[in-house]
Amino acid sequence: MATWTEDEIGRKWDRCFADTLFKFGGGILLGGVFSLFFFKRRKWPIITGAGFGLGMAYANCQEDLNSTIRRQKSRDCSKPGEEKKSS
C-alpha cells in the first residue's frame, strides 16, 4: 500500500506534538525535582528543564520532517529541448 506524502507528514506532525508534550512535561518534572531537593525551591531549574525539553523536541521534529523532504525526488525544471549545464 502506497502512502501519500501529505499523510506521512501529517503523522509526523502528530508525533512531533506528542513528543513535544512529553519532553516539555518531563523537563518540567525533572526541573521540579531538582528544584525541590537541590536548589531550595528556585524557579530556574524548572524553566531550564522545560527549555531543554522543548529544544530536544524541536531538534527531533526538525530531523524527522527534513528526512521526509530529502527523500522526495528532485524535479527537473528544464525545458524539454534544453540540456543540463554541469557546474
Side-chain angles (χ1 to χ4, degrees):
M1 180 174 141
T3 59
W4 293 90
T5 304
E6 294 88 6
D7 293 338
E8 185 178 350
I9 290 176
R11 282 192 300 273
K12 287 187 178 193
W13 272 109
D14 291 342
R15 270 188 280 164
C16 281
F17 287 132
D19 188 42
T20 301
L21 286 175
F22 285 126
K23 286 196 169 64
F24 181 70
I28 288 177
L29 183 68
L30 193 59
V33 168
F34 272 84
S35 174
L36 184 64
F37 290 123
F38 300 115
F39 296 110
K40 298 181 184 177
R41 296 185 182 174
R42 306 276 180 180
K43 290 182 187 176
W44 68 266
I46 299 170
I47 294 168
T48 303
F52 278 128
L54 284 175
M56 288 172 53
Y58 179 80
N60 288 346
C61 288
Q62 183 179 15
E63 181 61 34
D64 199 20
L65 291 171
N66 284 341
S67 69
T68 303
I69 294 168
R70 276 181 284 194
R71 261 193 327 209
Q72 292 179 354
K73 294 180 182 177
S74 61
R75 296 182 183 180
D76 184 19
C77 296
S78 62
K79 293 181 182 175
E82 225 175 81
E83 289 185 27
K84 290 184 182 180
K85 294 179 182 178
S86 59
S87 34

Coordinates of all heavy atoms in Angstrom, one line a residue:
M1 N 0.8 -1.2 0.0 CA 0.0 0.0 0.0 C 0.9 1.2 0.0 O 1.8 1.4 0.8 CB -0.9 0.0 1.2 CG -1.8 1.1 1.4 SD -2.9 0.9 2.8 CE -2.9 2.5 3.4
A2 N 0.7 2.1 -0.9 CA 1.5 3.3 -1.0 C 0.9 4.4 -0.1 O -0.3 4.5 0.2 CB 1.4 3.9 -2.5
T3 N 1.9 5.1 0.6 CA 1.4 6.2 1.5 C 1.7 7.5 0.8 O 2.7 7.7 0.1 CB 2.3 6.2 2.8 OG1 3.6 6.3 2.4 CG2 2.0 4.9 3.5
W4 N 0.7 8.4 0.9 CA 0.9 9.7 0.4 C 1.8 10.6 1.3 O 1.8 10.4 2.5 CB -0.5 10.4 0.3 CG -1.4 9.7 -0.7 CD1 -2.2 8.6 -0.5 CD2 -1.5 10.0 -2.1 NE1 -2.8 8.2 -1.6 CE2 -2.4 9.0 -2.6 CE3 -0.9 10.9 -2.9 CZ2 -2.7 9.0 -4.0 CZ3 -1.2 10.9 -4.3 CH2 -2.1 10.0 -4.8
T5 N 2.5 11.5 0.6 CA 3.4 12.3 1.4 C 2.7 13.2 2.4 O 3.1 13.4 3.5 CB 4.2 13.2 0.4 OG1 4.9 12.4 -0.5 CG2 5.2 14.0 1.1
E6 N 1.5 13.7 2.0 CA 0.7 14.5 2.9 C 0.3 13.7 4.2 O 0.3 14.3 5.3 CB -0.5 15.1 2.2 CG -0.2 16.0 1.1 CD 0.0 15.3 -0.2 OE1 -0.2 14.1 -0.3 OE2 0.3 16.0 -1.2
D7 N -0.1 12.5 4.0 CA -0.5 11.7 5.1 C 0.8 11.4 6.0 O 0.7 11.4 7.2 CB -1.0 10.3 4.7 CG -2.4 10.5 4.0 OD1 -3.0 11.5 4.2 OD2 -2.7 9.6 3.2
E8 N 1.9 11.1 5.4 CA 3.1 10.9 6.2 C 3.5 12.1 7.0 O 3.9 12.0 8.1 CB 4.2 10.4 5.2 CG 5.5 10.0 5.9 CD 6.5 9.6 4.9 OE1 6.2 9.4 3.7 OE2 7.7 9.4 5.3
I9 N 3.5 13.3 6.3 CA 3.8 14.5 7.0 C 2.8 14.8 8.2 O 3.2 15.2 9.3 CB 3.9 15.7 6.1 CG1 5.1 15.5 5.2 CG2 4.0 17.0 6.8 CD1 5.3 16.5 4.1
G10 N 1.5 14.5 7.9 CA 0.5 14.7 9.0 C 0.8 13.8 10.2 O 0.7 14.2 11.3
R11 N 1.2 12.5 9.9 CA 1.5 11.6 11.0 C 2.8 12.1 11.8 O 2.9 12.0 13.0 CB 1.7 10.2 10.5 CG 0.5 9.5 10.2 CD 0.7 8.0 10.0 NE 1.6 7.7 8.8 CZ 1.2 7.6 7.6 NH1 -0.1 7.7 7.3 NH2 2.1 7.4 6.6
K12 N 3.7 12.6 11.0 CA 5.0 13.1 11.7 C 4.7 14.3 12.5 O 5.2 14.5 13.6 CB 6.0 13.4 10.6 CG 6.6 12.1 10.0 CD 7.8 12.4 9.1 CE 8.3 11.0 8.7 NZ 9.6 11.1 8.0
W13 N 3.8 15.2 12.1 CA 3.4 16.4 12.9 C 2.7 15.9 14.2 O 3.0 16.5 15.2 CB 2.5 17.3 12.1 CG 3.2 18.3 11.3 CD1 3.3 18.4 10.0 CD2 3.9 19.5 11.8 NE1 4.1 19.5 9.6 CE2 4.5 20.1 10.7 CE3 4.2 19.9 13.1 CZ2 5.3 21.3 10.9 CZ3 5.0 21.1 13.3 CH2 5.5 21.7 12.1
D14 N 1.8 14.9 14.1 CA 1.2 14.4 15.3 C 2.2 13.8 16.2 O 2.1 14.1 17.4 CB 0.2 13.3 14.9 CG -1.0 13.9 14.1 OD1 -1.3 15.1 14.2 OD2 -1.7 13.1 13.5
R15 N 3.2 13.1 15.7 CA 4.2 12.6 16.6 C 5.1 13.7 17.2 O 5.5 13.6 18.4 CB 5.2 11.6 15.8 CG 4.7 10.2 15.8 CD 5.7 9.3 15.2 NE 5.6 9.4 13.8 CZ 6.4 9.1 12.9 NH1 7.6 8.6 13.2 NH2 6.2 9.2 11.6
C16 N 5.3 14.8 16.4 CA 6.1 15.9 17.0 C 5.3 16.6 18.1 O 5.9 16.9 19.1 CB 6.3 16.9 15.8 SG 7.7 16.4 14.7
F17 N 4.0 16.8 18.0 CA 3.3 17.4 19.0 C 3.3 16.5 20.3 O 3.4 17.0 21.4 CB 1.8 17.7 18.6 CG 1.7 18.8 17.6 CD1 1.0 18.7 16.5 CD2 2.4 20.0 17.9 CE1 0.9 19.8 15.6 CE2 2.3 21.1 17.0 CZ 1.6 21.0 15.8
A18 N 3.1 15.2 20.1 CA 3.1 14.3 21.3 C 4.5 14.3 21.9 O 4.6 14.4 23.2 CB 2.7 12.9 20.9
D19 N 5.5 14.3 21.1 CA 6.9 14.2 21.6 C 7.2 15.5 22.4 O 7.8 15.5 23.4 CB 7.9 14.1 20.4 CG 9.3 13.8 20.9 OD1 9.5 13.1 21.8 OD2 10.2 14.4 20.2
T20 N 6.7 16.7 21.8 CA 6.9 17.9 22.5 C 6.3 18.0 23.9 O 6.8 18.4 24.8 CB 6.4 19.1 21.6 OG1 7.1 19.1 20.4 CG2 6.6 20.4 22.3
L21 N 5.0 17.5 23.9 CA 4.3 17.5 25.2 C 5.0 16.6 26.2 O 5.2 17.0 27.4 CB 2.9 17.0 25.0 CG 1.9 18.0 24.4 CD1 0.6 17.3 24.1 CD2 1.8 19.2 25.2
F22 N 5.5 15.4 25.8 CA 6.2 14.5 26.7 C 7.5 15.1 27.2 O 7.8 15.1 28.4 CB 6.4 13.2 26.1 CG 5.2 12.3 26.0 CD1 4.8 11.8 24.9 CD2 4.5 12.1 27.2 CE1 3.6 11.0 24.8 CE2 3.3 11.3 27.1 CZ 2.9 10.7 25.9
K23 N 8.3 15.6 26.3 CA 9.6 16.2 26.6 C 9.5 17.5 27.5 O 10.2 17.7 28.4 CB 10.4 16.4 25.4 CG 10.9 15.1 24.8 CD 12.1 15.3 23.8 CE 12.7 14.0 23.5 NZ 12.0 13.0 22.8
F24 N 8.5 18.3 27.1 CA 8.3 19.5 27.9 C 7.8 19.2 29.3 O 8.4 19.7 30.3 CB 7.2 20.4 27.2 CG 6.9 21.7 27.9 CD1 7.8 22.7 27.9 CD2 5.7 21.9 28.5 CE1 7.6 23.9 28.5 CE2 5.4 23.1 29.1 CZ 6.3 24.1 29.1
G25 N 6.9 18.3 29.4 CA 6.4 17.8 30.7 C 7.5 17.1 31.5 O 7.7 17.3 32.8
G26 N 8.3 16.3 30.9 CA 9.4 15.6 31.6 C 10.5 16.6 32.0 O 11.0 16.5 33.1
G27 N 10.7 17.6 31.2 CA 11.7 18.7 31.6 C 11.2 19.4 32.8 O 12.0 19.7 33.8
I28 N 9.9 19.8 32.8 CA 9.3 20.5 34.0 C 9.4 19.6 35.2 O 9.7 20.0 36.3 CB 7.9 20.9 33.7 CG1 7.9 22.1 32.7 CG2 7.1 21.3 35.0 CD1 6.6 22.6 32.3
L29 N 9.0 18.3 35.1 CA 9.0 17.4 36.2 C 10.4 17.2 36.8 O 10.7 17.3 38.0 CB 8.4 16.1 35.8 CG 8.3 15.0 36.9 CD1 7.3 15.4 37.9 CD2 8.0 13.7 36.3
L30 N 11.4 17.0 35.9 CA 12.8 16.8 36.3 C 13.3 18.1 37.0 O 14.0 18.1 38.0 CB 13.6 16.4 35.2 CG 15.0 15.8 35.5 CD1 14.9 14.6 36.4 CD2 15.7 15.4 34.2
G31 N 13.0 19.2 36.3 CA 13.4 20.5 36.9 C 12.8 20.8 38.3 O 13.4 21.3 39.2
G32 N 11.5 20.4 38.4 CA 10.9 20.5 39.7 C 11.5 19.6 40.8 O 11.7 20.1 41.9
V33 N 11.9 18.4 40.4 CA 12.6 17.6 41.4 C 13.9 18.2 41.8 O 14.2 18.2 43.0 CB 12.7 16.1 40.8 CG1 13.7 15.3 41.7 CG2 11.4 15.5 40.7
F34 N 14.7 18.6 40.9 CA 16.0 19.2 41.2 C 15.8 20.5 42.0 O 16.5 20.8 42.9 CB 16.8 19.6 39.9 CG 17.6 18.4 39.5 CD1 17.1 17.4 38.7 CD2 18.9 18.4 39.8 CE1 17.8 16.3 38.3 CE2 19.7 17.3 39.4 CZ 19.2 16.3 38.6
S35 N 14.7 21.3 41.7 CA 14.5 22.5 42.4 C 14.1 22.2 43.9 O 14.5 22.9 44.8 CB 13.3 23.3 41.7 OG 12.9 24.4 42.5
L36 N 13.3 21.2 44.0 CA 12.8 20.8 45.4 C 13.9 20.3 46.3 O 14.0 20.7 47.4 CB 11.7 19.8 45.2 CG 11.0 19.3 46.5 CD1 10.2 20.5 47.1 CD2 10.0 18.2 46.2
F37 N 14.7 19.4 45.7 CA 15.7 18.7 46.5 C 17.1 19.4 46.6 O 17.8 19.3 47.6 CB 15.9 17.3 46.1 CG 14.7 16.4 46.3 CD1 14.1 15.7 45.3 CD2 14.3 16.3 47.6 CE1 13.0 14.9 45.6 CE2 13.2 15.5 47.9 CZ 12.5 14.8 46.9
F38 N 17.5 20.1 45.6 CA 18.8 20.7 45.5 C 19.0 22.2 45.5 O 20.0 22.7 45.9 CB 19.6 20.1 44.3 CG 19.7 18.6 44.3 CD1 19.0 17.9 43.3 CD2 20.4 17.9 45.2 CE1 19.1 16.5 43.3 CE2 20.5 16.6 45.2 CZ 19.9 15.8 44.3
F39 N 18.0 22.9 45.0 CA 18.1 24.3 44.8 C 17.1 25.2 45.6 O 16.8 26.3 45.2 CB 18.0 24.6 43.3 CG 19.1 24.0 42.4 CD1 18.8 23.0 41.6 CD2 20.4 24.5 42.5 CE1 19.8 22.4 40.8 CE2 21.4 23.9 41.8 CZ 21.1 22.9 40.9
K40 N 16.7 24.7 46.7 CA 15.8 25.5 47.6 C 14.6 26.1 47.0 O 14.3 27.3 47.2 CB 16.7 26.5 48.3 CG 17.8 26.0 49.1 CD 18.6 27.1 49.8 CE 19.8 26.5 50.5 NZ 20.6 27.5 51.1
R41 N 13.9 25.4 46.2 CA 12.7 25.8 45.5 C 12.8 27.0 44.7 O 12.0 27.9 44.7 CB 11.6 25.9 46.6 CG 11.3 24.6 47.2 CD 10.1 24.7 48.1 NE 9.9 23.4 48.8 CZ 9.1 23.2 49.7 NH1 8.3 24.2 50.2 NH2 8.9 22.0 50.2
R42 N 13.8 27.1 43.9 CA 14.0 28.2 42.9 C 13.3 27.8 41.6 O 13.0 26.7 41.3 CB 15.5 28.4 42.6 CG 16.3 28.6 43.8 CD 16.3 30.0 44.2 NE 17.2 30.2 45.4 CZ 17.4 31.3 45.9 NH1 16.8 32.4 45.5 NH2 18.2 31.4 47.0
K43 N 13.0 28.9 40.8 CA 12.2 28.6 39.6 C 13.1 28.3 38.4 O 12.7 27.6 37.5 CB 11.5 29.9 39.2 CG 10.3 30.2 40.1 CD 9.6 31.5 39.6 CE 8.6 31.9 40.6 NZ 7.9 33.1 40.2
W44 N 14.4 28.7 38.4 CA 15.2 28.5 37.3 C 15.5 27.0 36.9 O 15.6 26.8 35.7 CB 16.5 29.3 37.4 CG 17.5 28.8 38.4 CD1 17.6 29.2 39.7 CD2 18.5 27.8 38.3 NE1 18.6 28.6 40.3 CE2 19.2 27.7 39.5 CE3 18.8 26.9 37.2 CZ2 20.2 26.7 39.7 CZ3 19.9 26.0 37.4 CH2 20.5 25.9 38.6
P45 N 15.5 26.1 37.8 CA 15.7 24.7 37.3 C 14.5 24.2 36.5 O 14.6 23.4 35.6 CB 15.9 23.9 38.6 CG 16.4 24.8 39.6 CD 15.7 26.1 39.3
I46 N 13.3 24.6 36.9 CA 12.1 24.2 36.2 C 12.1 24.9 34.8 O 11.8 24.2 33.8 CB 10.8 24.7 37.0 CG1 10.8 24.0 38.4 CG2 9.6 24.4 36.2 CD1 9.8 24.5 39.3
I47 N 12.4 26.1 34.7 CA 12.4 26.8 33.4 C 13.5 26.2 32.5 O 13.3 26.0 31.3 CB 12.7 28.3 33.6 CG1 11.5 28.9 34.4 CG2 12.9 29.0 32.3 CD1 11.7 30.3 34.9
T48 N 14.7 25.9 33.1 CA 15.8 25.3 32.3 C 15.4 23.9 31.8 O 15.6 23.6 30.7 CB 17.0 25.2 33.2 OG1 17.4 26.5 33.6 CG2 18.2 24.6 32.4
G49 N 14.7 23.1 32.7 CA 14.3 21.8 32.3 C 13.3 21.9 31.2 O 13.3 21.1 30.2
A50 N 12.3 22.8 31.3 CA 11.3 23.0 30.2 C 12.0 23.4 28.9 O 11.6 22.9 27.8 CB 10.3 24.0 30.6
G51 N 13.0 24.3 29.0 CA 13.7 24.7 27.8 C 14.5 23.6 27.1 O 14.5 23.5 25.9
F52 N 15.1 22.8 28.0 CA 15.8 21.6 27.4 C 14.9 20.7 26.7 O 15.1 20.1 25.7 CB 16.6 20.9 28.5 CG 18.0 21.5 28.8 CD1 18.3 21.8 30.1 CD2 18.9 21.8 27.8 CE1 19.5 22.4 30.4 CE2 20.1 22.3 28.0 CZ 20.4 22.6 29.4
G53 N 13.7 20.4 27.3 CA 12.7 19.6 26.8 C 12.2 20.1 25.4 O 12.1 19.3 24.5
L54 N 11.9 21.4 25.4 CA 11.5 22.0 24.1 C 12.5 21.9 23.0 O 12.3 21.6 21.9 CB 11.0 23.4 24.3 CG 9.7 23.6 25.0 CD1 9.4 25.1 25.2 CD2 8.5 23.0 24.1
G55 N 13.8 22.2 23.4 CA 14.9 22.1 22.5 C 15.1 20.7 21.9 O 15.3 20.6 20.7
M56 N 15.0 19.7 22.8 CA 15.2 18.3 22.3 C 14.0 17.9 21.3 O 14.2 17.3 20.3 CB 15.2 17.4 23.5 CG 16.5 17.5 24.3 SD 16.5 16.5 25.8 CE 16.0 14.9 25.2
A57 N 12.8 18.3 21.7 CA 11.7 18.0 20.9 C 11.8 18.7 19.5 O 11.5 18.2 18.5 CB 10.4 18.4 21.6
Y58 N 12.2 20.0 19.5 CA 12.4 20.7 18.3 C 13.4 20.1 17.4 O 13.2 19.9 16.2 CB 12.8 22.2 18.6 CG 13.1 23.0 17.4 CD1 12.0 23.6 16.7 CD2 14.4 23.2 16.9 CE1 12.2 24.3 15.5 CE2 14.6 24.0 15.7 CZ 13.5 24.6 15.1 OH 13.7 25.3 14.0
A59 N 14.5 19.7 17.9 CA 15.6 19.0 17.1 C 15.1 17.7 16.5 O 15.4 17.4 15.4 CB 16.8 18.8 18.0
N60 N 14.3 16.9 17.3 CA 13.8 15.6 16.8 C 12.8 15.9 15.7 O 12.8 15.2 14.7 CB 13.2 14.8 17.9 CG 14.1 14.3 18.9 OD1 15.3 14.2 18.6 ND2 13.7 13.9 20.1
C61 N 11.9 16.9 15.9 CA 10.9 17.2 14.8 C 11.6 17.7 13.6 O 11.2 17.3 12.5 CB 9.9 18.2 15.4 SG 8.8 17.5 16.6
Q62 N 12.6 18.5 13.7 CA 13.3 19.1 12.6 C 13.9 17.9 11.7 O 13.8 17.9 10.5 CB 14.3 20.1 13.0 CG 15.0 20.7 11.9 CD 16.1 21.7 12.4 OE1 16.4 21.7 13.6 NE2 16.5 22.6 11.5
E63 N 14.6 17.0 12.4 CA 15.2 15.9 11.7 C 14.2 15.0 11.1 O 14.3 14.6 9.9 CB 16.1 15.1 12.7 CG 16.8 14.0 12.0 CD 17.8 14.4 11.0 OE1 18.4 15.5 11.1 OE2 17.9 13.6 10.0
D64 N 13.1 14.7 11.8 CA 12.1 13.8 11.3 C 11.4 14.4 10.0 O 11.2 13.8 9.0 CB 11.0 13.6 12.4 CG 10.2 12.4 12.1 OD1 10.6 11.5 11.3 OD2 9.1 12.2 12.7
L65 N 11.0 15.7 10.1 CA 10.4 16.3 8.9 C 11.3 16.6 7.8 O 10.9 16.4 6.6 CB 9.7 17.7 9.4 CG 8.5 17.6 10.3 CD1 8.1 18.9 10.8 CD2 7.4 16.9 9.6
N66 N 12.5 16.9 8.0 CA 13.5 17.1 6.9 C 13.8 15.8 6.2 O 14.2 15.8 5.1 CB 14.8 17.8 7.5 CG 14.6 19.2 7.7 OD1 13.6 19.9 7.2 ND2 15.4 19.8 8.5
S67 N 13.8 14.7 7.0 CA 14.1 13.4 6.3 C 13.0 13.1 5.3 O 13.3 12.5 4.2 CB 14.2 12.3 7.3 OG 12.9 12.0 7.9
T68 N 11.8 13.5 5.5 CA 10.7 13.3 4.5 C 11.0 14.1 3.3 O 10.8 13.7 2.1 CB 9.3 13.7 5.1 OG1 9.1 12.9 6.3 CG2 8.2 13.4 4.1
I69 N 11.4 15.4 3.5 CA 11.6 16.3 2.4 C 12.8 15.8 1.5 O 12.8 15.9 0.3 CB 11.8 17.7 2.9 CG1 10.5 18.2 3.5 CG2 12.2 18.7 1.8 CD1 10.6 19.5 4.3
R70 N 13.9 15.4 2.2 CA 15.1 14.9 1.5 C 14.8 13.7 0.7 O 15.5 13.4 -0.3 CB 16.2 14.7 2.5 CG 17.0 15.9 2.8 CD 18.1 15.5 3.7 NE 17.3 15.3 5.0 CZ 17.9 15.2 6.2 NH1 19.2 15.2 6.3 NH2 17.2 15.1 7.3
R71 N 13.9 12.8 1.1 CA 13.6 11.6 0.4 C 12.9 11.8 -0.9 O 12.9 11.0 -1.8 CB 12.8 10.7 1.3 CG 13.6 9.6 1.9 CD 12.7 8.6 2.5 NE 11.4 9.2 3.0 CZ 10.7 8.7 3.9 NH1 11.1 7.6 4.6 NH2 9.6 9.2 4.3
Q72 N 12.1 12.9 -1.0 CA 11.4 13.2 -2.3 C 12.4 13.4 -3.4 O 13.5 14.0 -3.2 CB 10.5 14.4 -2.1 CG 9.4 14.1 -1.2 CD 8.5 15.4 -1.0 OE1 8.8 16.4 -1.5 NE2 7.4 15.2 -0.3
K73 N 12.0 13.0 -4.6 CA 12.9 13.1 -5.7 C 12.9 14.6 -6.2 O 11.8 15.2 -6.2 CB 12.5 12.3 -6.9 CG 12.6 10.8 -6.6 CD 12.2 10.0 -7.8 CE 12.3 8.5 -7.5 NZ 11.8 7.7 -8.6
S74 N 14.0 15.1 -6.6 CA 14.1 16.5 -7.1 C 13.5 16.5 -8.5 O 13.7 15.5 -9.3 CB 15.5 17.0 -7.1 OG 16.3 16.2 -7.9
R75 N 12.8 17.5 -8.9 CA 12.2 17.6 -10.2 C 13.1 18.4 -11.1 O 13.7 19.3 -10.8 CB 10.8 18.3 -10.1 CG 9.9 17.5 -9.2 CD 8.6 18.1 -9.2 NE 7.7 17.3 -8.3 CZ 6.5 17.6 -8.0 NH1 5.9 18.7 -8.6 NH2 5.7 16.9 -7.2
D76 N 13.1 18.0 -12.4 CA 13.8 18.6 -13.4 C 13.0 19.7 -14.0 O 11.9 19.4 -14.6 CB 14.3 17.6 -14.5 CG 15.2 18.2 -15.5 OD1 15.7 19.3 -15.3 OD2 15.3 17.6 -16.6
C77 N 13.4 21.0 -13.9 CA 12.6 22.1 -14.3 C 13.1 22.7 -15.7 O 12.6 23.7 -16.1 CB 12.5 23.2 -13.3 SG 11.7 22.7 -11.8
S78 N 14.0 22.0 -16.3 CA 14.5 22.5 -17.6 C 13.5 22.2 -18.7 O 12.6 21.4 -18.6 CB 15.8 21.9 -17.9 OG 15.7 20.5 -18.1
K79 N 13.6 23.0 -19.7 CA 12.7 22.8 -20.9 C 13.1 21.5 -21.6 O 14.2 21.1 -21.6 CB 12.9 24.0 -21.8 CG 12.4 25.3 -21.2 CD 12.6 26.5 -22.2 CE 12.1 27.8 -21.5 NZ 12.4 28.9 -22.3
P80 N 12.1 20.9 -22.3 CA 12.3 19.6 -22.9 C 13.5 19.6 -23.9 O 14.2 18.6 -23.9 CB 11.0 19.4 -23.7 CG 10.0 20.2 -23.0 CD 10.7 21.4 -22.4
G81 N 13.8 20.6 -24.7 CA 14.9 20.5 -25.6 C 16.2 21.0 -25.1 O 17.3 20.9 -25.7
E82 N 16.3 21.5 -23.9 CA 17.4 22.0 -23.2 C 18.3 21.0 -22.5 O 17.8 20.1 -21.9 CB 17.0 23.0 -22.2 CG 17.7 24.3 -22.2 CD 17.0 25.3 -21.2 OE1 17.4 25.2 -20.0 OE2 16.2 26.1 -21.6
E83 N 19.6 21.1 -22.7 CA 20.5 20.2 -21.9 C 20.8 20.8 -20.6 O 20.9 22.0 -20.4 CB 21.8 19.9 -22.8 CG 21.5 19.1 -24.0 CD 22.8 18.8 -24.7 OE1 23.9 18.8 -24.0 OE2 22.8 18.6 -25.9
K84 N 21.1 19.9 -19.7 CA 21.6 20.4 -18.3 C 23.0 20.9 -18.4 O 23.8 20.3 -19.1 CB 21.5 19.3 -17.3 CG 20.1 18.9 -16.9 CD 20.1 17.9 -15.8 CE 18.8 17.4 -15.5 NZ 18.8 16.4 -14.4
K85 N 23.2 22.0 -17.7 CA 24.6 22.5 -17.6 C 25.2 21.9 -16.4 O 24.7 21.9 -15.3 CB 24.6 24.1 -17.5 CG 24.0 24.7 -18.7 CD 24.0 26.2 -18.5 CE 23.4 26.9 -19.7 NZ 23.4 28.4 -19.5
S86 N 26.4 21.4 -16.6 CA 27.2 20.9 -15.4 C 28.0 22.0 -14.8 O 28.6 22.8 -15.5 CB 28.0 19.7 -15.8 OG 28.9 20.1 -16.8
S87 N 28.0 22.1 -13.5 CA 28.8 23.1 -12.8 C 30.2 22.7 -12.4 O 30.6 21.7 -12.4 CB 28.1 23.7 -11.6 OG 27.4 22.7 -10.9

